PDB file of all heavy atoms in Angstrom:
ATOM      1  N   THR A 124      -8.988 -15.390 -22.153  1.00 97.00           N
ATOM      2  CA  THR A 124     -10.130 -15.143 -21.265  1.00 97.00           C
ATOM      3  C   THR A 124     -10.340 -13.650 -21.073  1.00 97.00           C
ATOM      4  O   THR A 124     -11.484 -13.164 -21.025  1.00 97.00           O
ATOM      5  CB  THR A 124      -9.902 -15.776 -19.888  1.00 97.00           C
ATOM      6  OG1 THR A 124      -9.562 -17.168 -20.091  1.00 97.00           O
ATOM      7  CG2 THR A 124     -11.134 -15.680 -18.988  1.00 97.00           C
ATOM      8  N   HIS A 125      -9.268 -12.911 -20.938  1.00 97.00           N
ATOM      9  CA  HIS A 125      -9.332 -11.472 -20.639  1.00 97.00           C
ATOM     10  C   HIS A 125      -9.917 -10.700 -21.825  1.00 97.00           C
ATOM     11  O   HIS A 125     -10.492  -9.601 -21.593  1.00 97.00           O
ATOM     12  CB  HIS A 125      -7.940 -10.944 -20.306  1.00 97.00           C
ATOM     13  CG  HIS A 125      -7.932  -9.557 -19.908  1.00 97.00           C
ATOM     14  ND1 HIS A 125      -8.569  -9.065 -18.775  1.00 97.00           N
ATOM     15  CD2 HIS A 125      -7.363  -8.455 -20.465  1.00 97.00           C
ATOM     16  CE1 HIS A 125      -8.404  -7.750 -18.639  1.00 97.00           C
ATOM     17  NE2 HIS A 125      -7.674  -7.349 -19.663  1.00 97.00           N
ATOM     18  N   HIS A 126      -9.827 -11.245 -23.004  1.00 97.00           N
ATOM     19  CA  HIS A 126     -10.307 -10.518 -24.192  1.00 97.00           C
ATOM     20  C   HIS A 126     -11.665 -10.958 -24.708  1.00 97.00           C
ATOM     21  O   HIS A 126     -12.145 -10.413 -25.683  1.00 97.00           O
ATOM     22  CB  HIS A 126      -9.274 -10.649 -25.325  1.00 97.00           C
ATOM     23  CG  HIS A 126      -8.089  -9.741 -25.181  1.00 97.00           C
ATOM     24  ND1 HIS A 126      -8.032  -8.505 -25.779  1.00 97.00           N
ATOM     25  CD2 HIS A 126      -6.938  -9.918 -24.501  1.00 97.00           C
ATOM     26  CE1 HIS A 126      -6.842  -7.948 -25.457  1.00 97.00           C
ATOM     27  NE2 HIS A 126      -6.182  -8.776 -24.692  1.00 97.00           N
ATOM     28  N   SER A 127     -12.304 -11.859 -24.013  1.00 96.00           N
ATOM     29  CA  SER A 127     -13.539 -12.468 -24.539  1.00 96.00           C
ATOM     30  C   SER A 127     -14.763 -11.612 -24.307  1.00 96.00           C
ATOM     31  O   SER A 127     -15.828 -11.916 -24.891  1.00 96.00           O
ATOM     32  CB  SER A 127     -13.744 -13.873 -23.951  1.00 96.00           C
ATOM     33  OG  SER A 127     -13.738 -13.827 -22.515  1.00 96.00           O
ATOM     34  N   SER A 128     -14.684 -10.587 -23.521  1.00 96.00           N
ATOM     35  CA  SER A 128     -15.876  -9.746 -23.270  1.00 96.00           C
ATOM     36  C   SER A 128     -16.101  -8.769 -24.478  1.00 96.00           C
ATOM     37  O   SER A 128     -15.160  -8.214 -24.997  1.00 96.00           O
ATOM     38  CB  SER A 128     -15.689  -8.926 -21.997  1.00 96.00           C
ATOM     39  OG  SER A 128     -16.773  -8.037 -21.840  1.00 96.00           O
ATOM     40  N   GLU A 129     -17.378  -8.582 -24.781  1.00 95.00           N
ATOM     41  CA  GLU A 129     -17.721  -7.648 -25.869  1.00 95.00           C
ATOM     42  C   GLU A 129     -18.080  -6.298 -25.310  1.00 95.00           C
ATOM     43  O   GLU A 129     -18.661  -5.450 -26.011  1.00 95.00           O
ATOM     44  CB  GLU A 129     -18.867  -8.227 -26.713  1.00 95.00           C
ATOM     45  CG  GLU A 129     -18.433  -9.478 -27.445  1.00 95.00           C
ATOM     46  CD  GLU A 129     -19.526 -10.082 -28.320  1.00 95.00           C
ATOM     47  OE1 GLU A 129     -20.675  -9.572 -28.268  1.00 95.00           O
ATOM     48  OE2 GLU A 129     -19.262 -11.065 -29.021  1.00 95.00           O
ATOM     49  N   ARG A 130     -17.791  -6.070 -24.039  1.00 95.00           N
ATOM     50  CA  ARG A 130     -18.005  -4.789 -23.365  1.00 95.00           C
ATOM     51  C   ARG A 130     -16.691  -4.356 -22.707  1.00 95.00           C
ATOM     52  O   ARG A 130     -15.785  -5.174 -22.493  1.00 95.00           O
ATOM     53  CB  ARG A 130     -19.118  -4.895 -22.295  1.00 95.00           C
ATOM     54  CG  ARG A 130     -20.478  -5.205 -22.911  1.00 95.00           C
ATOM     55  CD  ARG A 130     -21.461  -5.595 -21.814  1.00 95.00           C
ATOM     56  NE  ARG A 130     -22.809  -5.818 -22.445  1.00 95.00           N
ATOM     57  CZ  ARG A 130     -23.117  -6.948 -23.070  1.00 95.00           C
ATOM     58  NH1 ARG A 130     -22.229  -7.923 -23.206  1.00 95.00           N
ATOM     59  NH2 ARG A 130     -24.311  -7.098 -23.637  1.00 95.00           N
ATOM     60  N   MET A 131     -16.612  -3.078 -22.384  1.00 96.00           N
ATOM     61  CA  MET A 131     -15.446  -2.576 -21.671  1.00 96.00           C
ATOM     62  C   MET A 131     -15.919  -1.919 -20.373  1.00 96.00           C
ATOM     63  O   MET A 131     -16.659  -0.916 -20.436  1.00 96.00           O
ATOM     64  CB  MET A 131     -14.663  -1.583 -22.533  1.00 96.00           C
ATOM     65  CG  MET A 131     -13.490  -0.931 -21.767  1.00 96.00           C
ATOM     66  SD  MET A 131     -12.321  -2.110 -21.092  1.00 96.00           S
ATOM     67  CE  MET A 131     -11.454  -2.588 -22.603  1.00 96.00           C
ATOM     68  N   ASN A 132     -15.596  -2.539 -19.286  1.00 97.00           N
ATOM     69  CA  ASN A 132     -15.960  -1.970 -17.982  1.00 97.00           C
ATOM     70  C   ASN A 132     -14.955  -2.489 -16.963  1.00 97.00           C
ATOM     71  O   ASN A 132     -14.112  -3.354 -17.261  1.00 97.00           O
ATOM     72  CB  ASN A 132     -17.369  -2.359 -17.574  1.00 97.00           C
ATOM     73  CG  ASN A 132     -17.629  -3.831 -17.615  1.00 97.00           C
ATOM     74  OD1 ASN A 132     -16.937  -4.619 -16.958  1.00 97.00           O
ATOM     75  ND2 ASN A 132     -18.637  -4.285 -18.419  1.00 97.00           N
ATOM     76  N   PHE A 133     -15.016  -1.966 -15.735  1.00 97.00           N
ATOM     77  CA  PHE A 133     -14.056  -2.318 -14.692  1.00 97.00           C
ATOM     78  C   PHE A 133     -14.047  -3.819 -14.437  1.00 97.00           C
ATOM     79  O   PHE A 133     -12.970  -4.387 -14.070  1.00 97.00           O
ATOM     80  CB  PHE A 133     -14.357  -1.577 -13.400  1.00 97.00           C
ATOM     81  CG  PHE A 133     -14.012  -0.098 -13.443  1.00 97.00           C
ATOM     82  CD1 PHE A 133     -14.943   0.862 -13.025  1.00 97.00           C
ATOM     83  CD2 PHE A 133     -12.772   0.337 -13.891  1.00 97.00           C
ATOM     84  CE1 PHE A 133     -14.603   2.212 -13.044  1.00 97.00           C
ATOM     85  CE2 PHE A 133     -12.438   1.681 -13.928  1.00 97.00           C
ATOM     86  CZ  PHE A 133     -13.378   2.623 -13.503  1.00 97.00           C
TER      87      PHE A 133
END
Side-chain angles (χ1 to χ4, degrees):
T124 308
H125 184 63
H126 280 267
S127 55
S128 175
E129 295 181 355
R130 294 167 180 78
M131 176 56 76
N132 55 57
F133 287 131

